[in-house]
Structures are given as structure tokens and as C-alpha cells.
Amino acid sequence: MLGVFSSSILSPPEEMVAAGSRTPSPKMTGEALVNRFVRTESSSVSVQINDVVQLAYTHNNESALLPRSFGVKDEIFCLFEGCLDNLGSLRQEYGLAKTANEVVLMIEAYKALRDRAPYPPSHVVSHLQGNFAFIVFDNSTSTLFVATDEVGKIPLYWGITGDGYVAFADDANLLKGACGKSLASFPQGCFFSTAVGELRSYENPKNKITAVPAAEEEIWGAKFMVEGGAVLTATK
């Protein structure tokens, strides 16, 4: 799955900007990245939202146990990869039909978060049990909400394209060609919400997350760390 967002939605993380400037490398634009995905991934689907967001996904080479899915309702778009072990109880909690899948659940969970605050995003994500990574974009409020599980069974990466767009994908090699060293693994057990304005651990939401430069030989330009905890990176 792939999500590409302009700087009007999400400002490029300073740590990845700095990492990319240390070691200049070839990059491509966000549009070219999406075109590459559509061209190389069979049976892919792409969606453009205004001129600021592009989403794309494919069922090609997905795991039968950890599928990719896409949905949209009330201008809320969701890309979800993985499977929730407690989907049944969450359906009951949010008043959903027994046929509702993870995408429908996440859209409703986000709507509850948006409309029934004051509970924080960490409250929503910490209730999810299973292996997952998701991207939620609310076009009505220009809000982005991204998260991964604690184990990193579903890898997620983010980087900065040549024209300053922030891209998220489950394929590191896809982003490497577009982002160069302005690339990092999205940390496990963490979420990013533009409503909050920063990356946070949902298990330890008060612990600050910082990025440290990665070694030159690594694919990453930076590694994100939760203060007081271990380095959290997804590997594949």
C-alpha cells in the first residue's frame, strides 16, 4: 500500500530532511512514485484526493492471513493491511454489523475519535489487537492518522520524495528509489496524527520520540527511538 501527502497536509519530518541532505541521492516526485507503483504492481488501484493526496494499493502478493484493504465513507479514506484478533468485540463496541471488516472498523473508530473527543488517538490504537498497519485520511478536515502494531509484523516505512511530499508504504524498496536517504522505518507501536502534530508511542504516549542518524551503509537515513525504551524499527 502507498500513501503520498503534500506538505499542506503533513510537513516533512526535519530528521528525514536532514538525513537526506547528508547523503544526496536520486529522488523522484510523489506523482512519479505513484505512477511507478501503478505501473509495476499488477491489478493496482489508485485514488487521487484533490491535488494533495494520492493513495494506492494492490492485492498482488499479499498474505492470505494479512490482506490489504481499502475503504471510504463520509470523505474518510482508509488503507489497512493486516488482521485484528479482537475485531468481533470491536464491532460490538462501535455498533457495527458482523460483516464489517477492519477498514470499516477503522473509519468508524476514527469518526468516534474525531467527534466524541476528548479521548486521545492512543486510546483508539491501544485497543487494537493483532498485526496491522493503517493510513486514515479525513478529507473534510485534512487530517492524517497513521499507526502500526507493537510487533511490526506489517512493516511500514515513510520518506520524503523529491518534491517534498511525505510518502508511506509497506515496501521499503519502493520508497528507496523515490526518497533516497530521506527514509525511515515507521516505529512499531507508534502513531502519527496531524491533529496531535507529532509521532507518539501509544503504549507510552508521554515518552518523547527522537530520531538518530543511521549508519551510512544502512538503507535508512534515520532511526526513531522512544525515550526510555528500545529502538523501535520494523524489519523485513
Side-chain angles (χ1 to χ4, degrees), residues 72-77 107-108 111 114 138-140:
V72 56
K73 180 182 179 182
D74 299 331
E75 291 196 87
I76 301 170
F77 298 76
I107 290 175
E108 293 302 322
K111 287 174 66 177
R114 182 192 65 186
D138 182 354
N139 189 42
S140 66

Side-chain angles (χ1 to χ4, degrees), residues 124-176:
V124 171
V125 188
S126 63
H127 284 190
L128 306 179
Q129 298 174 12
N131 301 311
F132 64 86
F134 67 77
I135 300 170
V136 172
F137 177 69
D138 182 354
N139 189 42
S140 66
T141 61
S142 297
T143 299
L144 174 65
F145 185 27
V146 181
T148 63
D149 66 60
E150 297 175 89
V151 180
K153 183 74 173 181
I154 309 295
L156 187 67
Y157 312 94
W158 56 337
I160 307 169
T161 64
D163 53 351
Y165 280 49
V166 178
F168 297 84
D170 56 358
D171 182 348
N173 289 324
L174 175 68
L175 291 189
K176 183 180 179 182

Side-chain angles (χ1 to χ4, degrees), residues 1-4 28-47 54-62 68 70 79 81 135 167-175 177-178:
M1 63 181 180
L2 173 66
V4 181
M28 66 175 66
T29 66
E31 182 177 2
L33 172 60
V34 174
N35 290 340
R36 178 188 174 193
F37 180 91
V38 172
R39 186 176 63 252
T40 58
E41 295 291 342
S42 62
S43 303
S44 59
V45 177
S46 65
V47 177
Q54 286 186 277
L55 304 173
Y57 73 100
T58 178
H59 293 299
N60 186 42
N61 294 325
E62 72 179 7
R68 304 183 190 100
F70 171 78
L79 283 169
E81 184 170 353
I135 300 170
F168 297 84
D170 56 358
D171 182 348
N173 289 324
L174 175 68
L175 291 189

